[in-house]
Amino acid sequence: MEYNDRQIELKYQRLFNANFPKVKNFAKMLLKSEADAEDVAQDIFCKLWQQPAIWLDNERELDSYLFIMTRNAVLNIFKHQQVEHEYQESIFEKTLLEELTENEDALKNIYYNEMLLVVRLTLEKLPERRRMIFELNRFQGISYKEIADRLGISIRTVEHQVYLVLIELKKVLLFAFFLLPFK
């Protein structure tokens, strides 16, 4: 069936009015955020507007299509958040290691040795398995995957254990830094 522009607009308006609240509520249930749910619903209806062939003569099957689109949009948000989180963790780790190593030139005196002693003591007080995972990765250069395979644990567990050690080291080193006398 052929539609003119006005008919398309009216049909879209009915589609929008009937389904926008359902799509938004479904997205909100998954995302737990009103603003994010609103964005998802708007994105979905923008895509629909650009592809009228999907909805013009297909109203009966549109409900499941809308919910699949919503679910996929939410999954994409979750994937993006995971990528951001992993990137932030890697930047944090890289920054910490750079901070630890770049200060080597400035601390070629006794304070440098004291810092190393603090790191060694901190590592000794960690649970044995966590320390072992950290040392395998950071001191022996073994990848997360290889460590996970060796120990029969997930890569995510290895990542988390290394992350926990880096957090502990950062806390201890910051504390030790404030105890050092300034010249």
Side-chain angles (χ1 to χ4, degrees):
M1 181 175 188
E2 293 291 320
Y3 295 98
N4 64 37
D5 289 345
R6 181 69 183 140
Q7 289 173 317
I8 292 172
E9 286 178 28
L10 288 172
K11 203 158 170 66
Y12 179 80
Q13 190 64 40
R14 283 193 299 274
L15 168 74
F16 182 89
N17 290 338
N19 292 292
F20 187 86
K22 290 191 273 186
V23 169
K24 181 181 168 190
N25 287 335
F26 182 57
K28 183 179 175 189
M29 181 183 75
L30 297 172
L31 292 168
K32 310 290 189 241
S33 165
E34 181 84 26
D36 290 342
E38 180 87 23
D39 289 345
V40 166
Q42 287 177 5
D43 287 346
I44 287 170
F45 281 93
C46 284
K47 287 177 185 174
L48 286 173
W49 174 252
Q50 294 169 348
Q51 299 175 350
I54 293 172
W55 50 270
L56 270 175
D57 292 321
N58 202 10
E59 289 183 31
R60 282 190 298 134
E61 297 175 17
L62 197 56
D63 276 350
S64 46
Y65 186 74
L66 286 171
F67 287 108
I68 290 169
M69 284 181 74
T70 305
R71 182 200 65 201
N72 290 344
V74 168
L75 288 174
N76 286 339
I77 289 172
F78 289 153
K79 285 177 191 172
H80 181 73
Q81 288 172 342
Q82 179 66 26
V83 167
E84 281 182 342
H85 177 72
E86 289 171 3
Y87 177 74
Q88 288 171 348
E89 277 186 3
S90 71
I91 292 296
F92 173 76
E93 290 174 11
K94 184 178 178 183
T95 303
L96 177 63
L97 289 174
E98 285 175 1
E99 287 173 7
L100 290 173
T101 57
E102 81 181 15
N103 290 335
E104 187 173 343
D105 291 338
L107 297 174
K108 287 200 178 209
N109 55 31
I110 195 155
Y111 297 127
Y112 179 73
N113 292 326
E114 288 177 1
M115 286 294 208
L116 288 177
L117 181 62
V118 168
V119 168
R120 283 190 201 109
L121 290 172
T122 302
L123 290 176
E124 285 178 17
K125 292 187 179 198
L126 293 172
E128 185 177 339
R129 188 171 175 101
R130 184 176 299 160
R131 182 181 34 123
M132 179 181 64
I133 290 170
F134 182 81
E135 289 174 350
L136 285 171
N137 178 252
R138 299 305 169 147
F139 299 148
Q140 296 180 25
I142 298 174
S143 72
Y144 288 164
K145 181 173 179 4
E146 290 172 339
I147 294 169
D149 291 343
R150 269 191 200 179
L151 301 177
I153 57 177
S154 71
I155 294 174
R156 187 72 185 132
T157 300
V158 173
E159 291 171 348
H160 186 68
Q161 293 299 311
V162 170
Y163 173 76
L164 291 174
V165 173
L166 290 172
I167 293 292
E168 188 63 31
L169 285 173
K170 181 105 176 172
K171 282 192 251 177
V172 170
L173 289 174
L174 283 173
F175 180 75
F177 175 78
F178 286 111
L179 292 178
L180 293 175
F182 291 97
K183 291 184 179 182

